[in-house]
mmCIF file of all heavy atoms in Angstrom:
data_model
loop_
_atom_site.group_PDB
_atom_site.id
_atom_site.type_symbol
_atom_site.label_atom_id
_atom_site.label_comp_id
_atom_site.label_asym_id
_atom_site.label_seq_id
_atom_site.Cartn_x
_atom_site.Cartn_y
_atom_site.Cartn_z
ATOM 1 N N GLY A 268 -8.620 -10.476 6.367
ATOM 2 C CA GLY A 268 -9.948 -10.188 5.839
ATOM 3 C C GLY A 268 -10.578 -8.986 6.504
ATOM 4 O O GLY A 268 -11.225 -8.156 5.848
ATOM 5 N N ARG A 269 -10.415 -8.886 7.806
ATOM 6 C CA ARG A 269 -10.990 -7.756 8.532
ATOM 7 C C ARG A 269 -10.320 -6.437 8.163
ATOM 8 O O ARG A 269 -10.980 -5.406 8.024
ATOM 9 C CB ARG A 269 -10.858 -7.984 10.039
ATOM 10 C CG ARG A 269 -11.733 -9.093 10.587
ATOM 11 C CD ARG A 269 -11.447 -9.297 12.065
ATOM 12 N NE ARG A 269 -12.307 -10.329 12.624
ATOM 13 C CZ ARG A 269 -12.254 -10.741 13.889
ATOM 14 N NH1 ARG A 269 -11.384 -10.192 14.707
ATOM 15 N NH2 ARG A 269 -13.063 -11.682 14.323
ATOM 16 N N GLU A 270 -9.000 -6.469 8.005
ATOM 17 C CA GLU A 270 -8.256 -5.230 7.823
ATOM 18 C C GLU A 270 -8.104 -4.806 6.364
ATOM 19 O O GLU A 270 -8.117 -3.600 6.064
ATOM 20 C CB GLU A 270 -6.867 -5.370 8.454
ATOM 21 C CG GLU A 270 -6.899 -5.562 9.971
ATOM 22 C CD GLU A 270 -5.506 -5.521 10.584
ATOM 23 O OE1 GLU A 270 -4.792 -4.521 10.379
ATOM 24 O OE2 GLU A 270 -5.133 -6.492 11.256
ATOM 25 N N TYR A 271 -7.976 -5.779 5.451
ATOM 26 C CA TYR A 271 -7.628 -5.426 4.080
ATOM 27 C C TYR A 271 -8.615 -5.919 3.018
ATOM 28 O O TYR A 271 -8.588 -5.428 1.899
ATOM 29 C CB TYR A 271 -6.235 -5.980 3.730
ATOM 30 C CG TYR A 271 -5.151 -5.443 4.615
ATOM 31 C CD1 TYR A 271 -4.622 -6.213 5.646
ATOM 32 C CD2 TYR A 271 -4.650 -4.152 4.434
ATOM 33 C CE1 TYR A 271 -3.623 -5.715 6.481
ATOM 34 C CE2 TYR A 271 -3.654 -3.646 5.263
ATOM 35 C CZ TYR A 271 -3.155 -4.439 6.277
ATOM 36 O OH TYR A 271 -2.169 -3.941 7.093
ATOM 37 N N SER A 272 -9.468 -6.873 3.357
ATOM 38 C CA SER A 272 -10.356 -7.424 2.336
ATOM 39 C C SER A 272 -11.737 -7.709 2.903
ATOM 40 O O SER A 272 -12.231 -8.839 2.846
ATOM 41 C CB SER A 272 -9.739 -8.710 1.754
ATOM 42 O OG SER A 272 -10.382 -9.095 0.562
ATOM 43 N N PRO A 273 -12.399 -6.679 3.440
ATOM 44 C CA PRO A 273 -13.714 -6.880 4.048
ATOM 45 C C PRO A 273 -14.803 -7.076 3.000
ATOM 46 O O PRO A 273 -14.594 -6.814 1.806
ATOM 47 C CB PRO A 273 -13.928 -5.576 4.824
ATOM 48 C CG PRO A 273 -13.176 -4.555 4.031
ATOM 49 C CD PRO A 273 -11.965 -5.269 3.509
ATOM 50 N N ALA A 274 -15.959 -7.519 3.449
ATOM 51 C CA ALA A 274 -17.086 -7.687 2.535
ATOM 52 C C ALA A 274 -17.613 -6.327 2.092
ATOM 53 O O ALA A 274 -17.991 -6.145 0.929
ATOM 54 C CB ALA A 274 -18.192 -8.495 3.211
ATOM 55 N N ARG A 275 -17.637 -5.355 3.005
ATOM 56 C CA ARG A 275 -18.120 -4.016 2.697
ATOM 57 C C ARG A 275 -16.992 -3.008 2.838
ATOM 58 O O ARG A 275 -16.096 -3.177 3.654
ATOM 59 C CB ARG A 275 -19.268 -3.642 3.639
ATOM 60 C CG ARG A 275 -20.487 -4.543 3.505
ATOM 61 C CD ARG A 275 -21.564 -4.132 4.486
ATOM 62 N NE ARG A 275 -22.746 -4.992 4.404
ATOM 63 C CZ ARG A 275 -23.813 -4.868 5.160
ATOM 64 N NH1 ARG A 275 -23.859 -3.916 6.079
ATOM 65 N NH2 ARG A 275 -24.840 -5.691 5.017
ATOM 66 N N GLY A 276 -17.042 -1.968 2.027
ATOM 67 C CA GLY A 276 -16.004 -0.947 2.081
ATOM 68 C C GLY A 276 -14.655 -1.459 1.619
ATOM 69 O O GLY A 276 -13.605 -0.994 2.069
ATOM 70 N N TRP A 277 -14.684 -2.411 0.707
ATOM 71 C CA TRP A 277 -13.462 -3.052 0.223
ATOM 72 C C TRP A 277 -12.698 -2.115 -0.692
ATOM 73 O O TRP A 277 -13.251 -1.582 -1.656
ATOM 74 C CB TRP A 277 -13.858 -4.339 -0.506
ATOM 75 C CG TRP A 277 -12.742 -5.129 -1.109
ATOM 76 C CD1 TRP A 277 -11.460 -5.212 -0.671
ATOM 77 C CD2 TRP A 277 -12.831 -5.975 -2.256
ATOM 78 N NE1 TRP A 277 -10.726 -6.062 -1.465
ATOM 79 C CE2 TRP A 277 -11.553 -6.542 -2.441
ATOM 80 C CE3 TRP A 277 -13.860 -6.307 -3.126
ATOM 81 C CZ2 TRP A 277 -11.286 -7.424 -3.489
ATOM 82 C CZ3 TRP A 277 -13.597 -7.186 -4.161
ATOM 83 C CH2 TRP A 277 -12.321 -7.744 -4.336
ATOM 84 N N ASP A 278 -11.419 -1.914 -0.416
ATOM 85 C CA ASP A 278 -10.536 -1.095 -1.246
ATOM 86 C C ASP A 278 -9.430 -1.994 -1.784
ATOM 87 O O ASP A 278 -8.511 -2.367 -1.055
ATOM 88 C CB ASP A 278 -9.956 0.056 -0.422
ATOM 89 C CG ASP A 278 -9.090 0.992 -1.251
ATOM 90 O OD1 ASP A 278 -8.860 0.700 -2.441
ATOM 91 O OD2 ASP A 278 -8.632 2.011 -0.700
ATOM 92 N N LEU A 279 -9.528 -2.303 -3.065
ATOM 93 C CA LEU A 279 -8.583 -3.247 -3.663
ATOM 94 C C LEU A 279 -7.148 -2.721 -3.638
ATOM 95 O O LEU A 279 -6.199 -3.502 -3.626
ATOM 96 C CB LEU A 279 -9.003 -3.553 -5.107
ATOM 97 C CG LEU A 279 -8.262 -4.684 -5.827
ATOM 98 C CD1 LEU A 279 -8.417 -6.004 -5.072
ATOM 99 C CD2 LEU A 279 -8.764 -4.830 -7.257
ATOM 100 N N GLU A 280 -7.009 -1.391 -3.600
ATOM 101 C CA GLU A 280 -5.666 -0.821 -3.575
ATOM 102 C C GLU A 280 -4.916 -1.233 -2.307
ATOM 103 O O GLU A 280 -3.686 -1.317 -2.298
ATOM 104 C CB GLU A 280 -5.737 0.710 -3.660
ATOM 105 C CG GLU A 280 -6.307 1.227 -4.975
ATOM 106 C CD GLU A 280 -5.548 0.682 -6.173
ATOM 107 O OE1 GLU A 280 -4.306 0.777 -6.164
ATOM 108 O OE2 GLU A 280 -6.184 0.159 -7.109
ATOM 109 N N LYS A 281 -5.649 -1.487 -1.232
ATOM 110 C CA LYS A 281 -5.031 -1.905 0.032
ATOM 111 C C LYS A 281 -4.888 -3.418 0.134
ATOM 112 O O LYS A 281 -4.215 -3.918 1.037
ATOM 113 C CB LYS A 281 -5.868 -1.393 1.206
ATOM 114 C CG LYS A 281 -5.971 0.118 1.294
ATOM 115 C CD LYS A 281 -6.862 0.532 2.453
ATOM 116 C CE LYS A 281 -7.001 2.052 2.536
ATOM 117 N NZ LYS A 281 -7.900 2.451 3.649
ATOM 118 N N ASP A 282 -5.537 -4.128 -0.768
ATOM 119 C CA ASP A 282 -5.631 -5.594 -0.687
ATOM 120 C C ASP A 282 -4.653 -6.241 -1.658
ATOM 121 O O ASP A 282 -5.017 -6.682 -2.747
ATOM 122 C CB ASP A 282 -7.073 -6.013 -1.001
ATOM 123 C CG ASP A 282 -7.314 -7.514 -0.844
ATOM 124 O OD1 ASP A 282 -6.347 -8.246 -0.562
ATOM 125 O OD2 ASP A 282 -8.464 -7.945 -1.022
ATOM 126 N N ILE A 283 -3.386 -6.316 -1.252
ATOM 127 C CA ILE A 283 -2.335 -6.795 -2.150
ATOM 128 C C ILE A 283 -2.529 -8.254 -2.559
ATOM 129 O O ILE A 283 -2.224 -8.636 -3.692
ATOM 130 C CB ILE A 283 -0.935 -6.599 -1.525
ATOM 131 C CG1 ILE A 283 0.148 -6.976 -2.531
ATOM 132 C CG2 ILE A 283 -0.796 -7.395 -0.231
ATOM 133 C CD1 ILE A 283 1.558 -6.688 -2.051
ATOM 134 N N ILE A 284 -3.077 -9.079 -1.664
ATOM 135 C CA ILE A 284 -3.219 -10.495 -2.005
ATOM 136 C C ILE A 284 -4.254 -10.683 -3.108
ATOM 137 O O ILE A 284 -3.987 -11.336 -4.123
ATOM 138 C CB ILE A 284 -3.589 -11.335 -0.765
ATOM 139 C CG1 ILE A 284 -2.459 -11.297 0.264
ATOM 140 C CG2 ILE A 284 -3.870 -12.788 -1.179
ATOM 141 C CD1 ILE A 284 -2.719 -12.120 1.515
ATOM 142 N N THR A 285 -5.447 -10.095 -2.947
ATOM 143 C CA THR A 285 -6.472 -10.243 -3.978
ATOM 144 C C THR A 285 -6.020 -9.575 -5.271
ATOM 145 O O THR A 285 -6.279 -10.098 -6.367
ATOM 146 C CB THR A 285 -7.808 -9.642 -3.511
ATOM 147 O OG1 THR A 285 -8.152 -10.197 -2.241
ATOM 148 C CG2 THR A 285 -8.921 -9.956 -4.504
ATOM 149 N N ARG A 286 -5.355 -8.457 -5.162
ATOM 150 C CA ARG A 286 -4.858 -7.766 -6.356
ATOM 151 C C ARG A 286 -3.885 -8.639 -7.133
ATOM 152 O O ARG A 286 -3.812 -8.578 -8.358
ATOM 153 C CB ARG A 286 -4.174 -6.467 -5.921
ATOM 154 C CG ARG A 286 -4.322 -5.328 -6.897
ATOM 155 C CD ARG A 286 -3.936 -3.995 -6.300
ATOM 156 N NE ARG A 286 -2.556 -3.933 -5.876
ATOM 157 C CZ ARG A 286 -2.163 -3.628 -4.650
ATOM 158 N NH1 ARG A 286 -3.055 -3.373 -3.715
ATOM 159 N NH2 ARG A 286 -0.892 -3.574 -4.334
ATOM 160 N N THR A 287 -3.143 -9.488 -6.413
ATOM 161 C CA THR A 287 -2.104 -10.304 -7.047
ATOM 162 C C THR A 287 -2.621 -11.653 -7.515
ATOM 163 O O THR A 287 -2.265 -12.120 -8.608
ATOM 164 C CB THR A 287 -0.934 -10.513 -6.062
ATOM 165 O OG1 THR A 287 -0.451 -9.238 -5.620
ATOM 166 C CG2 THR A 287 0.197 -11.289 -6.719
ATOM 167 N N VAL A 288 -3.464 -12.294 -6.696
ATOM 168 C CA VAL A 288 -3.867 -13.676 -7.019
ATOM 169 C C VAL A 288 -5.364 -13.816 -7.247
ATOM 170 O O VAL A 288 -5.858 -14.917 -7.459
ATOM 171 C CB VAL A 288 -3.435 -14.649 -5.894
ATOM 172 C CG1 VAL A 288 -1.958 -14.535 -5.596
ATOM 173 C CG2 VAL A 288 -4.258 -14.429 -4.620
ATOM 174 N N GLY A 289 -6.099 -12.707 -7.202
ATOM 175 C CA GLY A 289 -7.554 -12.773 -7.197
ATOM 176 C C GLY A 289 -8.194 -13.400 -8.424
ATOM 177 O O GLY A 289 -7.667 -13.319 -9.538
ATOM 178 N N ARG A 290 -9.368 -13.972 -8.210
ATOM 179 C CA ARG A 290 -10.193 -14.531 -9.271
ATOM 180 C C ARG A 290 -10.579 -13.412 -10.256
ATOM 181 O O ARG A 290 -11.031 -12.345 -9.845
ATOM 182 C CB ARG A 290 -11.447 -15.152 -8.644
ATOM 183 C CG ARG A 290 -12.348 -15.933 -9.566
ATOM 184 C CD ARG A 290 -13.577 -16.405 -8.789
ATOM 185 N NE ARG A 290 -13.220 -17.299 -7.709
ATOM 186 C CZ ARG A 290 -13.196 -18.629 -7.814
ATOM 187 N NH1 ARG A 290 -13.517 -19.202 -8.945
ATOM 188 N NH2 ARG A 290 -12.859 -19.372 -6.772
ATOM 189 N N LYS A 291 -10.458 -13.665 -11.530
ATOM 190 C CA LYS A 291 -10.706 -12.632 -12.535
ATOM 191 C C LYS A 291 -12.116 -12.075 -12.444
ATOM 192 O O LYS A 291 -12.326 -10.864 -12.564
ATOM 193 C CB LYS A 291 -10.443 -13.186 -13.942
ATOM 194 C CG LYS A 291 -8.979 -13.387 -14.261
ATOM 195 C CD LYS A 291 -8.780 -13.847 -15.699
ATOM 196 C CE LYS A 291 -7.295 -14.032 -16.011
ATOM 197 N NZ LYS A 291 -7.091 -14.504 -17.413
ATOM 198 N N SER A 292 -13.097 -12.954 -12.222
ATOM 199 C CA SER A 292 -14.486 -12.479 -12.148
ATOM 200 C C SER A 292 -14.689 -11.542 -10.968
ATOM 201 O O SER A 292 -15.446 -10.569 -11.050
ATOM 202 C CB SER A 292 -15.445 -13.668 -12.050
ATOM 203 O OG SER A 292 -15.183 -14.433 -10.877
ATOM 204 N N VAL A 293 -14.009 -11.802 -9.866
ATOM 205 C CA VAL A 293 -14.101 -10.944 -8.687
ATOM 206 C C VAL A 293 -13.470 -9.588 -8.968
ATOM 207 O O VAL A 293 -14.037 -8.540 -8.638
ATOM 208 C CB VAL A 293 -13.418 -11.608 -7.472
ATOM 209 C CG1 VAL A 293 -13.281 -10.629 -6.317
ATOM 210 C CG2 VAL A 293 -14.193 -12.835 -7.030
ATOM 211 N N LEU A 294 -12.302 -9.587 -9.598
ATOM 212 C CA LEU A 294 -11.621 -8.335 -9.915
ATOM 213 C C LEU A 294 -12.425 -7.522 -10.926
ATOM 214 O O LEU A 294 -12.563 -6.299 -10.782
ATOM 215 C CB LEU A 294 -10.221 -8.632 -10.461
ATOM 216 C CG LEU A 294 -9.260 -9.346 -9.506
ATOM 217 C CD1 LEU A 294 -7.946 -9.660 -10.204
ATOM 218 C CD2 LEU A 294 -9.010 -8.512 -8.264
ATOM 219 N N ASN A 295 -12.963 -8.191 -11.937
ATOM 220 C CA ASN A 295 -13.757 -7.486 -12.945
ATOM 221 C C ASN A 295 -14.987 -6.840 -12.324
ATOM 222 O O ASN A 295 -15.330 -5.695 -12.643
ATOM 223 C CB ASN A 295 -14.179 -8.451 -14.055
ATOM 224 C CG ASN A 295 -13.009 -8.874 -14.928
ATOM 225 O OD1 ASN A 295 -11.981 -8.189 -14.963
ATOM 226 N ND2 ASN A 295 -13.158 -9.981 -15.631
ATOM 227 N N GLU A 296 -15.661 -7.573 -11.426
ATOM 228 C CA GLU A 296 -16.843 -7.035 -10.771
ATOM 229 C C GLU A 296 -16.479 -5.835 -9.893
ATOM 230 O O GLU A 296 -17.229 -4.850 -9.824
ATOM 231 C CB GLU A 296 -17.519 -8.123 -9.933
ATOM 232 C CG GLU A 296 -18.809 -7.691 -9.257
ATOM 233 C CD GLU A 296 -19.887 -7.271 -10.233
ATOM 234 O OE1 GLU A 296 -19.875 -7.739 -11.391
ATOM 235 O OE2 GLU A 296 -20.749 -6.466 -9.827
ATOM 236 N N TYR A 297 -15.348 -5.928 -9.231
ATOM 237 C CA TYR A 297 -14.898 -4.811 -8.398
ATOM 238 C C TYR A 297 -14.702 -3.554 -9.243
ATOM 239 O O TYR A 297 -15.179 -2.473 -8.881
ATOM 240 C CB TYR A 297 -13.594 -5.162 -7.686
ATOM 241 C CG TYR A 297 -13.003 -4.016 -6.902
ATOM 242 C CD1 TYR A 297 -13.385 -3.782 -5.586
ATOM 243 C CD2 TYR A 297 -12.082 -3.141 -7.483
ATOM 244 C CE1 TYR A 297 -12.858 -2.713 -4.865
ATOM 245 C CE2 TYR A 297 -11.558 -2.074 -6.774
ATOM 246 C CZ TYR A 297 -11.951 -1.868 -5.472
ATOM 247 O OH TYR A 297 -11.426 -0.802 -4.764
ATOM 248 N N TYR A 298 -13.996 -3.699 -10.366
ATOM 249 C CA TYR A 298 -13.717 -2.528 -11.195
ATOM 250 C C TYR A 298 -14.981 -1.985 -11.856
ATOM 251 O O TYR A 298 -15.119 -0.771 -12.054
ATOM 252 C CB TYR A 298 -12.664 -2.885 -12.251
ATOM 253 C CG TYR A 298 -11.288 -3.058 -11.666
ATOM 254 C CD1 TYR A 298 -10.601 -4.259 -11.782
ATOM 255 C CD2 TYR A 298 -10.664 -2.013 -10.974
ATOM 256 C CE1 TYR A 298 -9.336 -4.419 -11.229
ATOM 257 C CE2 TYR A 298 -9.403 -2.163 -10.425
ATOM 258 C CZ TYR A 298 -8.743 -3.371 -10.559
ATOM 259 O OH TYR A 298 -7.500 -3.523 -10.009
#
């Protein structure tokens, strides 16, 4: 969480777990 999926400054390109299994609403909001 600290290194790849922080609350602020989140870069989904670096966050392979959320990119792969993430909640659709979370991914949609990110994009």
Side-chain angles (χ1 to χ4, degrees):
R269 291 176 178 178
E270 296 187 56
Y271 300 103
S272 194
R275 298 179 181 179
W277 179 30
D278 183 355
L279 189 59
E280 295 305 310
K281 298 178 181 179
D282 184 356
I283 186 174
I284 296 181
T285 307
R286 214 166 61 236
T287 304
V288 306
R290 187 183 298 267
K291 287 184 179 179
S292 61
V293 170
L294 298 176
N295 289 340
E296 183 61 26
Y297 175 87
Y298 288 120

